[in-house]
Amino acid sequence: MSKQHFVCQGAICQCKFGTIPDTLQIKTQSKHYINEKEEKEKRLATNQEVGAVFRHNSFGSCAQMNNKPCQVMVTDWSGIYDKIKVEENKGYPLLENSKATCLIGGPDCIVIDFHGQTVEITVQNQAQSNQEVLMELSPFVDLDLEHQPKKLYNASE
């Protein structure tokens, strides 16, 4: 898998024949979530996401259709992770380098620009972090620290 992220609900995709990106919507399974403390919205994407699988189901104007409005119809995915099988939909997870085939655009015309995973910082992450670094990075954020940070310098010096 070497440094490839799994794709999830909210991934941003782009067709090489389209003019704007669209957001992947996971409709084939509802049990497997990634990158979240609580299962809310980041469902794992698999190669079973075929058909109309995007939020607007359009990549703008389609160069393959003489710049008429795009109507995405995904038929297949390549570059899947075949070491895990999702039992609910019998699919294999998509990776950020996976590509989709569209009926109109042809093989591998749709790429994933952003895998959809985002950082969700928890109290445990904060507790394990260097407090001085956190204060330097976010000086105006109340981190509600359990202890006072060490004084970094003396203002009178």
Side-chain angles (χ1 to χ4, degrees):
M1 198 166 112
S2 79
K3 299 185 183 180
Q4 289 290 316
H5 291 89
F6 286 119
V7 175
C8 64
Q9 172 93 10
I12 306 297
C13 299
Q14 176 70 52
C15 177
K16 65 181 179 181
F17 300 111
T19 56
I20 59 173
D22 203 353
T23 306
L24 185 63
Q25 302 292 297
I26 309 306
K27 301 174 183 177
T28 64
Q29 65 91 11
S30 60
K31 293 182 181 177
H32 303 282
Y33 293 77
I34 58 174
N35 195 230
E36 290 184 306
K37 184 177 178 183
E38 296 177 22
E39 300 172 347
K40 295 182 285 188
E41 59 188 49
K42 299 290 182 179
R43 288 189 297 264
L44 179 66
T46 70
N47 65 328
Q48 296 301 307
E49 303 305 325
V50 294
V53 297
F54 295 98
R55 180 176 291 151
H56 303 292
N57 209 46
S58 176
F59 290 112
S61 299
C62 179
Q64 290 290 86
M65 295 178 27
N66 295 322
N67 293 321
K68 292 182 180 173
C70 167
Q71 295 178 344
V72 185
M73 189 57 62
V74 173
T75 60
D76 191 27
W77 287 91
S78 65
I80 61 174
Y81 186 70
D82 62 1
K83 292 176 177 44
I84 298 173
K85 187 173 186 179
V86 176
E87 290 302 318
E88 185 178 357
N89 68 3
K90 308 289 188 249
Y92 296 94
L94 299 180
L95 296 170
E96 63 186 320
N97 65 348
S98 298
K99 296 179 181 178
T101 296
C102 176
L103 276 175
I104 297 166
D108 297 341
C109 65
I110 301 170
V111 297
I112 298 167
D113 287 341
F114 172 64
H115 48 72
Q117 293 190 47
T118 55
V119 175
E120 185 174 294
I121 298 176
T122 65
V123 174
Q124 183 179 4
N125 296 127
Q126 183 178 323
Q128 293 175 348
S129 299
N130 182 322
Q131 302 302 312
E132 291 176 356
V133 172
L134 286 177
M135 289 183 60
E136 287 292 321
L137 293 173
S138 305
F140 301 111
V141 176
D142 181 12
L143 298 173
D144 193 26
L145 303 174
E146 293 179 358
H147 58 81
Q148 291 294 325
K150 295 176 184 174
K151 196 170 190 178
L152 298 178
Y153 63 93
N154 186 344
S156 64
E157 293 178 352

